[in-house]
Amino acid sequence: MSLIERVTRATVCLHLAPHGLHGVLRRAGRPFPDSAFHLPILNPGASWEVALAGLRGWLEQHNEKKLPLAVSLASRWCAMLMVPWSGALLDRASAQRFLHSQFAAVYGDGARAWRLAADDAPYGKPRLACGIDAALLQGVQDAAAAHGRRCLSIEPVVGPAWRSLAPAKPAAFALVEAGRLLLATSSGGRIAALHSQSCGGAWGDELDRAWRRWNLRAPQLDAIEHVALLDLSGEPQAALPARFQPVAVASAAHLMREAAWA
């Protein structure tokens, strides 16, 4: 691809969550003015099948241009795990067997039906791995293909969230979504450890309690004074502990970067 093509091409960045589809058009590395949208999805059970139907409906109604898609998925549909280093990770087939054994040990045999992937951490270092229901991934790919669109990426929202924060080199960050919160620390420009759990609407207090509970298992967190906070919950809190420092973001879809297309 030529430099001109890379600069001028555009993509539709989407974030699929239980109760809504957020999107924005990005061109030349920037959100296109007035292109952002939000499609509410009635989904009391937070089912990915219902949310996927909402995505299909949006694609059917906006089928004029065949722009490629970059998709992030809500954390509740993405199981995250730090896996220890193993030589099995050097081969694709053995890596899948190793990852399935790691996820099954934590999440049970249901993990056998997930599509698993790990990042490319340096040799000998633990890797951040993600498991997503294979039917969900296939459903997103099929929905795009049915309308002549190409999926450039499908990933958990923690990926674009971290890439958006990484230039500031935070020692830790928190990502809050409706019903879910995730805490993570970083080292060497990568996510080094994480904790994920459910949360309620009054997530401000729960966020602080979650950090303190995690601190009991990982005393090194004592050295971290500030935690960058990305709030995608749609339920802003009146007051937050001083440790957590909000980072402004228009929507989850705005976190997607063209660098993630590869």
Side-chain angles (χ1 to χ4, degrees), residues 173-196:
F173 73 93
L175 174 65
V176 183
E177 304 162 74
R180 199 81 193 164
L181 67 84
L182 181 144
L183 301 169
T185 61
S186 69
S187 177
R190 314 184 72 87
I191 293 176
L194 55 81
H195 166 80
S196 179

Side-chain angles (χ1 to χ4, degrees), residues 90-241:
L90 297 176
D91 175 77
R92 177 173 294 186
S94 61
Q96 282 297 299
R97 290 193 294 271
F98 174 72
L99 291 175
H100 273 112
S101 69
Q102 294 292 311
F103 274 81
V106 175
Y107 295 102
D109 287 340
R112 304 286 180 185
W114 297 348
R115 190 85 58 82
L116 305 178
D119 70 2
D120 57 349
Y123 183 92
K125 299 292 185 179
R127 295 193 173 189
L128 177 64
C130 176
I132 302 175
D133 192 305
L136 170 56
L137 282 180
Q138 191 64 53
V140 173
Q141 292 168 340
D142 290 347
H147 295 281
R149 294 180 184 255
R150 188 160 56 102
C151 267
L152 299 169
S153 62
I154 305 173
E155 60 181 323
V157 69
V158 67
W162 168 240
R163 288 194 297 275
S164 73
L165 294 170
K169 299 181 179 179
F173 73 93
L175 174 65
V176 183
E177 304 162 74
R180 199 81 193 164
L181 67 84
L182 181 144
L183 301 169
T185 61
S186 69
S187 177
R190 314 184 72 87
I191 293 176
L194 55 81
H195 166 80
S196 179
Q197 66 175 67
S198 59
C199 67
W203 54 263
D205 291 338
E206 182 56 33
L207 183 62
D208 192 48
R209 289 196 295 269
W211 179 266
R212 287 188 274 111
R213 285 196 299 269
W214 196 24
N215 197 171
L216 293 175
R217 304 194 307 273
Q220 64 271 25
L221 297 182
D222 273 337
I224 299 176
E225 296 182 4
H226 303 298
V227 180
L229 170 64
L230 284 172
D231 174 17
L232 304 178
S233 70
E235 298 178 285
Q237 306 297 289
L240 290 168

